Amino acid sequence: MLTFNAHKNIHKNTAKNSIYQIVITSLLTLGLAACGDSYNNGDDNYTPLVQPPMEYSYSITLTNLTYGQPLSPIAVALHGDSKMWQVGQSASVALEKLAEGGDNSDFLALESNLASTMSDGPLPPGASVTLHISTTEPMANYLTVVTMLVNTNDAFSGLTGVDISTLVLNQEKSWQLNVYDAGTELNNEAVGTIPGPADGGVGFDAARNDIDLVGYHSGVVSKDDGLSSSVLTQAHRFDNPAVKLTITRTK
Amino acid sequence: MKVIKQSPIKATLTLLALALASTTTMAQELAITVTNLTQGLHFTPVVTAAHSNESRLFMLSDMASTELQAMAEGGDISGLVSLLSNADANINENPAGGLLAPAMSASFTLTNDSGNTHLSLAAMILPSNDGFVGLDSWEIPDEAGTYTVFLNAYDAGTEANDEIRGSGVPGEVGMPVPPPLDASIGMNGTGVTDMEANNKVHIHRGSLGDDDMSAGKSDINNSVQRWLNPVAKLTITVL
């Protein structure tokens, strides 16, 4: 597998910016014309043209591609130019809570979020869910989607800080997402450490006993494949990609 | 970091190329970052090269060259560098100044001559017997922009994957264990296999490992040093 994505950084003016420029130009033109009229007719009751803020809406569909890893309630956020995690950096506590316990509440409450939403419940293997998100914030140009693979110690999948400002109306874009490891909890797969139905154990633990750097996950081993202390079986193994994500701009 | 084949004339030509809003046949400036995506593998010194369409560092389902074998079994890239130099490639060696640790990145720039239209990369992955991360002849785009390529782990097909401590000398059994990895690799493994039935370059099947650091079949730790593809990310900005 050789995946290849081209991020073309040539068009500095985003679609949004261009639209704003057009709106501003139109306003100026109309304004000047109106002023001209009022001057000629002596009419001082000119009201400036007020344009409602532009609204952007997106639908986001996720499909769980795994055999036996339910996904924790999906968190979706729109924000400015930033990444919520990066390979080689320590996970934030909000990400740690999500990746170890499936708890997205801190993540959704991040002050940097300009809009956010979540799925009603976990997403079972083979299932899909579609979420809708809207914003009038002109800076909400970047997308983050994140979810935990719940039958693991601290595996999560998602994508973060993806520029969606170039999407035109009804344009859709898809990704096949790989699995990250938050690096905050050892992958010992031990009884009591996995929050999903395979164990029903503890989710978030503030102690960090792993590499403390986000990286790609090495997969679960399971007791069937030589990790004698594991509570997981062959049925919990997974491979990349784990999630398919499609975003469509609907407004 | 060492960049071969860079000269004042070349730099002038590059400037000229930029001034002329470079056409497809001119030299290009590439800013490259290689990221080790794993949390449990080290990469030995990385070699990256822009070369012509006729040269290959390796090819799936072909026998490894002795130079590729030396890289994959012991992390020695000198043979590959000579091959590339003789083929007039533009080469970057060892951008991390040694091992590229788990989750770490190394960045460098590479200027490719007009005929060197394809990019390849190789580095051994540790712990392994003859595993390597590779990129085989990715065509460098003409259009300026940032491109991302994900890389898989390959098996050179030159050594049995016994997964126990041993040698990095080509043709000798076992895995090389440089000092930084010594504490994380087990001891006294009895050996996973002594066969290498597929002697062509292939996608690595992954390590088996075990959960016993002082016995068992393997000296690889199964909950830390296994991997799923991709194992590396390459970000290439064509300036």
Side-chain angles (χ1 to χ4, degrees):
Chain A
M1 186 195 74
L2 190 82
T3 327
F4 165 76
N5 299 313
H7 304 295
K8 288 170 191 150
N9 293 337
I10 307 156
H11 306 291
K12 299 286 185 200
N13 282 336
T14 63
K16 272 186 197 180
N17 289 341
S18 308
I19 287 162
Y20 274 106
Q21 279 163 6
I22 291 164
V23 171
I24 289 164
T25 314
S26 317
L27 280 172
L28 285 173
T29 316
L30 287 170
L32 285 172
C35 286
D37 281 343
S38 69
Y39 179 76
N40 287 337
N41 303 334
D43 175 6
D44 288 326
N45 294 328
Y46 165 68
T47 330
L49 190 59
V50 177
Q51 202 81 359
M54 186 86 175
E55 188 181 37
Y56 296 87
S57 299
Y58 305 92
S59 74
I60 293 159
T61 300
L62 283 92
T63 304
N64 182 342
L65 304 177
T66 71
Y67 175 82
Q69 289 285 347
L71 299 174
S72 69
I74 319 290
V76 178
L78 299 179
H79 50 82
D81 186 4
S82 64
K83 291 191 183 296
M84 307 281 197
W85 66 83
Q86 218 167 335
V87 169
Q89 305 284 318
S90 286
S92 66
V93 174
L95 180 65
E96 182 184 7
K97 285 184 177 174
L98 199 151
E100 291 186 8
D103 172 7
N104 62 23
S105 52
D106 279 17
F107 202 89
L108 290 170
L110 289 173
E111 278 183 21
S112 53
N113 292 341
L114 299 172
S116 65
T117 189
M118 64 176 279
S119 66
D120 285 338
L123 184 64
S128 294
V129 66
T130 298
L131 301 167
H132 302 280
I133 192 164
S134 293
T135 182
T136 53
E137 281 282 351
M139 301 306 285
N141 288 330
Y142 293 83
L143 172 73
T144 292
V145 179
V146 60
T147 179
M148 178 193 186
L149 280 71
V150 299
N151 288 322
T152 66
N153 290 97
D154 60 342
F156 69 99
S157 187
L159 86 183
T160 186
V162 172
D163 185 357
I164 54 169
S165 66
T166 54
L167 286 179
V168 298
L169 191 61
N170 298 321
Q171 187 184 350
E172 82 173 36
K173 200 171 173 189
S174 290
W175 292 266
Q176 308 243 27
L177 305 180
N178 295 324
V179 181
Y180 293 91
D181 186 312
T184 53
E185 181 178 322
L186 272 179
N187 294 338
N188 57 17
E189 304 174 17
V191 176
T193 67
I194 290 172
D199 180 32
V202 174
F204 171 64
D205 181 333
R208 297 194 176 196
N209 60 359
D210 199 358
I211 186 173
D212 202 12
L213 299 172
V214 174
Y216 271 25
H217 204 283
S218 57
V220 297
V221 182
S222 84
K223 67 183 166 215
D224 291 326
D225 202 21
L227 186 58
S228 47
S229 61
S230 176
V231 73
L232 304 177
T233 71
Q234 48 76 30
H236 303 113
R237 286 155 48 86
F238 60 84
D239 203 346
N240 290 322
V243 179
K244 185 182 176 197
L245 187 157
T246 303
I247 181 168
T248 310
R249 187 178 148 202
T250 54
K251 193 172 177 184
Chain B
M1 189 184 87
K2 183 175 153 195
V3 180
I4 294 180
K5 298 184 76 65
Q6 201 164 42
S7 66
I9 294 171
K10 181 82 174 308
T12 312
L13 281 175
T14 309
L15 281 173
L16 201 63
L18 287 170
L20 294 172
S22 92
T23 58
T24 58
T25 52
M26 305 292 272
Q28 292 167 293
E29 282 278 335
L30 309 173
I32 299 175
T33 298
V34 54
T35 301
N36 177 348
L37 293 173
T38 73
Q39 290 182 321
L41 301 177
H42 283 73
F43 297 171
T44 61
V46 178
V47 58
T48 309
H51 53 79
S52 76
N53 201 13
E54 280 85 61
S55 315
R56 302 295 276 267
L57 269 189
F58 68 95
M59 228 165 119
L60 275 169
S61 300
D62 262 18
M63 297 276 286
S65 63
T66 54
E67 291 82 1
L68 189 80
Q69 179 181 9
M71 180 278 300
E73 293 190 21
D76 175 8
I77 54 174
S78 60
L80 288 176
V81 169
S82 314
L83 280 184
L84 288 162
S85 293
N86 292 338
D88 292 327
N90 306 106
I91 308 168
N92 174 274
E93 284 181 71
N94 194 14
L99 296 174
L100 184 62
M104 292 294 112
S105 296
S107 297
F108 56 93
T109 56
L110 191 65
T111 306
N112 62 321
D113 296 330
S114 60
N116 290 336
T117 51
H118 289 67
L119 195 71
S120 290
L121 173 151
M124 184 188 188
I125 55 174
L126 289 172
S128 79
N129 289 90
D130 60 339
F132 67 100
V133 52
L135 173 68
D136 172 26
S137 299
W138 179 75
E139 190 173 359
I140 301 165
D142 294 326
E143 196 174 346
T146 297
Y147 302 85
T148 304
V149 185
F150 288 96
L151 310 183
N152 292 325
Y154 296 86
D155 186 309
T158 56
E159 184 178 317
N161 294 348
D162 64 10
E163 300 185 13
I164 56 177
R165 286 172 182 258
S167 167
V169 176
E172 293 186 8
V173 297
M175 308 182 296
V177 181
L181 273 78
D182 194 49
S184 66
I185 292 176
M187 316 263 277
N188 310 317
T190 55
V192 167
T193 178
D194 58 4
M195 298 273 295
E196 183 69 0
N198 182 349
N199 61 5
K200 312 273 181 55
V201 175
H202 52 272
I203 292 285
H204 202 293
R205 63 190 184 272
S207 293
L208 184 67
D210 64 33
D211 60 358
D212 193 329
M213 287 291 279
S214 55
K217 279 186 183 171
S218 172
D219 290 339
I220 289 176
N221 182 334
N222 64 4
S223 64
V224 177
Q225 291 158 342
R226 287 189 180 192
W227 69 85
L228 298 176
N229 283 325
V231 294
K233 182 170 97 166
L234 207 55
T235 307
I236 303 130
T237 301
V238 179
L239 298 168

